[in-house]
Amino acid sequence: MVYKRFYPVLLDAANRILAGHSCVLCGLRAESLTSPKAICQVCLAAIQLSGNCCYQCGISIKSTDGQQKCGECLHHPKPYHRLIASCHYDFPVNQAISRFKFDQQLHLGKALAKALSQLILDTYQDDELPQLLIPIPLHRKRLAERGFNQSQLIAKTISHNILIPTVVNQLIRVKNTPHQIGLKATQRKQNLKNAFKVKSQLPRHIALIDDVVTTGSTITEATKQCLKHGAETIDIWCLAKT
Ligand SMILES: [Zn+2]
Ligand SMILES: [Zn+2]
């Protein structure tokens, strides 16, 4: 009888504990999480970029007087139109991206791409969204090593969330560049020269999707190729900018 009285109380407590899913970053259960591949509000607030960023290259800028570009982009404009990065490349995002890429923890990439999708929708508002998403390709040898292209998975997740198609194999990587980590910007640039090829005509406005943008050499080189094949405005969307 006692049990009968307490049963509804226990059931209610159990339901509340089990409601929602666990955050992929902190592991805590949150009622607001409606999918098992998501990041809780507390983690999102901690990892997302805040403050003013340069419209074109995405670095943090102090200016609040309406100046949207950093000094570097004002003097040496990038070939791409704008860059949107959703997170700081710090713990736990750097660790999550590395587990996503090198340990096939695909749910981490999907969760971060979902957060990026929301940021894109919030950022563009009345601005025209690109007509097509193109993931930065891997060379076929690198693809065989890793088993999947992380940028393609990010692009597909964004496509699913904001309903813009992704095409693969339109932009291809014809040069197998060595790992760029630790290399100087000039060396990176040299390695990436003619690394990409565009296979057919592109629409006017596209977005290139990458996991992490570091010096920008890769996206710059890919942008230059796309500009030669019909694209006029190229936006860059990435999970993180170092
Ligand atoms: Zn969390
Ligand atoms: Zn800039």
Side-chain angles (χ1 to χ4, degrees), residues 33 71 83 104:
L33 293 180
L83 182 145
Q104 279 83 35

Side-chain angles (χ1 to χ4, degrees), residues 5-64:
R5 256 192 16 237
F6 278 105
Y7 181 71
V9 181
L10 286 171
L11 189 66
D12 182 49
N15 278 336
R16 261 191 278 165
I17 291 167
L18 296 176
H21 294 275
S22 300
C23 165
V24 296
L25 293 182
C26 69
L28 293 178
R29 224 165 237 283
E31 257 183 80
S32 58
L33 293 180
T34 51
S35 129
K37 297 179 191 118
I39 299 169
C40 75
Q41 290 302 323
V42 179
C43 286
L44 269 183
I47 62 171
Q48 283 187 323
L49 283 169
S50 53
N52 289 324
C53 291
C54 169
Y55 182 89
Q56 191 168 47
C57 75
I59 64 157
S60 291
I61 45 174
K62 285 205 180 80
S63 156
T64 50

Side-chain angles (χ1 to χ4, degrees), residues 79-208:
Y80 44 88
H81 175 64
R82 75 189 299 186
L83 182 145
I84 294 184
S86 62
C87 299
H88 295 283
Y89 192 66
D90 278 327
F91 181 83
V93 174
N94 52 2
Q95 200 187 61
I97 292 177
S98 143
R99 285 175 60 209
F100 161 47
K101 281 164 71 170
F102 305 113
D103 298 331
Q104 279 83 35
Q105 300 289 306
L106 305 189
H107 68 290
L108 291 169
K110 286 180 189 166
L112 288 165
K114 201 175 164 196
L116 173 60
S117 309
Q118 190 53 53
L119 176 71
I120 288 161
L121 289 175
D122 294 345
T123 308
Y124 278 72
Q125 305 269 352
D126 297 329
D127 295 350
E128 181 200 73
L129 279 160
Q131 298 152 284
L132 197 65
L133 309 185
I134 299 182
I136 293 291
L138 293 177
H139 187 268
R140 60 185 164 76
K141 279 191 184 152
R142 183 75 62 83
L143 185 63
E145 271 167 34
R146 189 168 299 161
F148 73 106
N149 175 0
Q150 71 278 3
S151 301
Q152 189 176 322
L153 190 127
I154 298 165
K156 290 260 164 105
T157 305
I158 301 173
S159 274
H160 177 78
N161 287 312
I162 66 176
L163 308 178
I164 298 174
T166 290
V167 287
V168 292
N169 302 328
Q170 187 112 334
L171 174 69
I172 55 165
R173 201 157 185 145
V174 287
K175 201 165 143 191
N176 193 17
T177 47
H179 284 283
Q180 302 283 76
I181 304 161
L183 295 182
K184 290 214 171 82
T186 44
Q187 187 63 51
R188 284 178 184 237
K189 237 186 244 173
Q190 194 54 40
N191 285 346
L192 284 158
K193 221 170 178 205
N194 303 320
F196 298 99
K197 221 177 200 165
V198 178
K199 291 186 85 176
S200 54
Q201 201 68 0
L202 298 167
R204 185 180 53 81
H205 188 182
I206 62 169
L208 292 178

